[in-house]
Amino acid sequence: MSKQVQDAYIVSATRLPIGKSGRGYFKNTRPDEMLVKVMQAVLAQAPGLDPAAIEDAIVGCSFPEGEQGMNIARVASVLAGLGPTIGGVTINRYCASGITAVQMAADRIRVGEADVMFAGGVESMSMIPMGGNKPSLSPLIFEKDENIGIAYGMGLTAEKVAAQWKISREAQDAFSVESHRRAVAAMQAGHFDAEMTPFDVIERTPNLADGTVNTKTRTVKLDEGARPDTSLEGLAKLKPVFAAKGSVTAGNSSQTSDGSGGLLIVSEAALKRFNLTPLARFVSFAVRGVPPEIMGIGPIEAIPVALKAAGITAKDLDWVELNEAFAAQSLAVLNDLDSKGIELDRAKVNPNGGAIALGHPLGATGAIRAASVIHGLRRTGGKYGMVTMCVGAGQGAAGIFERL
C-alpha cells in the first residue's frame, strides 16, 4: 500500500458533454468558460461545503496556451466565484493530465497538507490545435535514434504498435464498432445522466441588416461523437491516415474533442466538518515511461504497479476506463496484459464506450473518465474502478478508485 497519513475522498464528480472539435457544440466556447461551469457544478453537488475551504485547484491541460493559457486553473477558480484565497495551478502530462491532477490533489490530502481540493481537466481542441499554436522541437531529439519517437505524430505511434503487437485492421475496426455500439446503448439507457452536467451553449450571429447580434441558446446534454450507424462495412472503406500501407484510420482512432471534468476531494475531517457524503476513495496511482515511438502501450507498465499499490488484482476491478487513443493501442494493451496473467474482463472495460465513440479532449479526459468510473460503480454496485491511458512522448498512467 502507498504510505499516507489519511484517506482522500471524492464527494462530487461531474463532467460536461464532449463536443466535436472545430465543428461541434463548443467550437466557439472558451475553455475557461467550460471549466468555470464544472467548478460551479461540483460545488453545487456538495451542499454545505464552504468554497473558501478549498485550498487549491489543480487542473490538467495538454496545451495550456492561448485561450487556455495564463494558468487557466487560477483564472477559472476566480471566475467561478470560489473566492480570492484559493490557489490554482495548471499541470500537463498530455492525455493523463486530468488523472494526474486528481492524483496530485488526492496526495495533498493523503499526506495531511490539505483538507479540501479541486481537481479537474479542460481542453478545447477547437481553439488550440494538437501540438499547440507554435510547435517547436529541440534539435537534440534527432541526434539519437532512441529519441526520435518524441517527434512522431500520435497516429504513427499507433501504426508502430499495430505492427509490433500484430493488431489487424479488421480487429481495430471491430473494436471501434463496439465502442460506438456501447456508447449509443449507454446514452439511450441514461447511463451518463449522473455524471453529466448540461451546458448552455450561446450561439451569436451578426445581423448585417441592422448591425445587431442575434443570440440563441441551446442546452447540450450528451456527447456528440457516438454514431449509431457505425458499421464494419463503413469503417472498411476508410483509408489509412498516417501511413500509406497502414491500418490506422479516422474511424479506429479517438476523436479530437472539447470538454471538461472535475472532482472535489476531501479529508475525513472535512467530511465531518461539512457533513459531506463520500462517493469514492482514491486508492492508488502509478505512472511509467515507455519508448516514445510506441507510447500507446504505456498502460501495460502502469497498471500492474497501480494494482500492487492498491493491494488488489485485475479480477477485483469492476469498471475500467481504458482511454481509446487508438483501437490498435487499446487492443495491444489488453492482449499484452492477458499474456502476463493480468486479464481485464472485456465486459468491464469501457462498458459505456470509449474515446473512439465519445471523444478525447486530451488533458480533460482523465478527469472526465474519473467521473465516469465513480458514477458507473455507484450505478452498478461495483467496488473498484480504474482510469488508465497512454501518454504522448512515451508514458502510461493508471489511477484506482474504490466506491463507498
Side-chain angles (χ1 to χ4, degrees):
M1 295 290 290
S2 300
K3 293 182 179 179
Q4 60 186 62
V5 298
Q6 61 183 351
D7 280 315
Y9 300 95
I10 293 88
V11 295
S12 61
T14 194
R15 69 178 184 92
L16 302 185
I18 298 173
K20 296 180 179 179
S21 70
R23 62 192 189 283
Y25 295 151
F26 301 129
K27 63 181 180 181
N28 297 316
T29 300
R30 289 181 58 94
D32 44 16
E33 294 174 8
M34 292 191 288
L35 183 56
V36 164
K37 180 66 174 181
V38 165
M39 287 180 163
Q40 293 172 337
V42 293
L43 271 174
Q45 293 176 12
L49 175 67
D50 180 1
I54 302 174
E55 178 172 321
D56 207 357
I58 304 178
V59 175
C61 183
S62 282
F63 296 98
E65 59 182 77
E67 290 87 347
Q68 55 197 28
M70 304 297 290
N71 190 5
I72 192 171
R74 170 60 178 171
V75 171
S77 67
V78 173
L79 296 179
L82 303 188
T85 63
I86 298 164
V89 60
T90 305
I91 58 106
N92 180 11
R93 200 195 294 276
Y94 292 138
C95 301
S97 299
I99 191 63
T100 299
V102 175
Q103 167 253 318
M104 292 175 69
D107 281 355
R108 288 290 311 284
I109 291 167
R110 297 204 295 173
V111 299
E113 292 181 344
D115 284 310
V116 185
M117 299 283 292
F118 172 85
V122 67
E123 199 83 35
S124 171
M125 299 184 77
S126 291
M127 295 189 175
I128 309 299
M130 177 75 79
N133 290 311
K134 187 185 176 183
S136 178
L137 296 171
S138 169
L140 296 176
I141 291 173
F142 305 98
E143 292 184 0
K144 294 182 179 180
D145 289 344
E146 61 266 31
N147 295 335
I148 293 176
I150 295 173
Y152 286 175
M154 295 297 97
L156 185 55
T157 69
E159 290 286 7
K160 294 283 187 181
V161 169
Q164 186 168 332
W165 273 264
K166 296 179 173 56
I167 309 298
S168 70
R169 166 70 183 271
E170 292 75 18
Q172 294 175 56
D173 287 351
F175 183 90
S176 303
V177 169
E178 179 64 7
S179 182
H180 282 277
R181 187 196 68 76
R182 292 186 180 193
V184 170
M187 289 180 183
Q188 292 174 343
H191 290 170
F192 292 112
D193 292 352
E195 68 187 64
M196 194 81 73
T197 291
F199 190 93
D200 291 334
V201 176
I202 300 175
E203 299 174 349
R204 299 177 175 87
T205 307
N207 187 325
L208 300 181
D210 59 14
T212 61
V213 176
N214 298 325
T215 61
K216 178 182 178 182
T217 301
R218 62 170 176 156
T219 302
V220 296
K221 300 179 179 180
L222 288 173
D223 304 316
E224 65 177 332
R227 298 185 298 272
D229 60 347
T230 302
S231 66
L232 286 173
E233 294 75 18
L235 293 184
K237 296 177 182 178
L238 299 178
K239 295 181 178 180
V241 178
F242 307 102
K245 296 182 179 180
S247 59
V248 179
T249 72
N252 56 41
S253 305
S254 59
Q255 301 181 34
T256 57
S257 314
D258 309 323
S260 183
L263 305 86
L264 276 177
I265 310 175
V266 307
S267 67
E268 185 174 356
L271 287 177
K272 295 176 180 178
R273 177 184 173 191
F274 298 109
N275 194 29
L276 300 170
T277 301
L279 304 177
R281 178 176 70 94
F282 185 82
V283 181
S284 71
F285 176 84
V287 63
R288 289 294 185 272
V290 296
E293 66 270 18
I294 50 171
M295 67 94 199
I297 53 87
I300 70 174
E301 301 297 337
I303 288 173
V305 182
L307 289 171
K308 183 178 180 180
I312 63 175
T313 70
K315 296 184 185 303
D316 295 312
L317 291 170
D318 298 302
W319 194 291
V320 177
E321 289 288 334
L322 170 64
N323 187 48
E324 299 169 357
F326 301 92
Q329 63 83 209
S330 298
L331 287 167
V333 167
L334 292 169
N335 294 346
D336 192 280
L337 288 173
D338 282 350
S339 70
K340 296 173 179 175
I342 306 172
E343 298 179 10
L344 298 177
D345 185 340
R346 301 302 193 266
K348 297 176 181 177
V349 175
N350 300 347
N352 289 341
I356 290 171
L358 299 173
H360 178 24
L362 298 179
T365 297
I368 288 171
R369 292 305 144 215
S372 298
V373 160
I374 290 166
H375 288 290
L377 289 173
R378 290 180 66 79
R379 179 175 55 79
T380 60
K383 185 175 183 180
Y384 289 108
M386 178 172 65
V387 176
T388 184
M389 60 260 298
C390 57
V391 184
Q395 298 179 70
I400 295 176
F401 300 83
E402 178 189 12
R403 179 188 64 84
L404 298 175

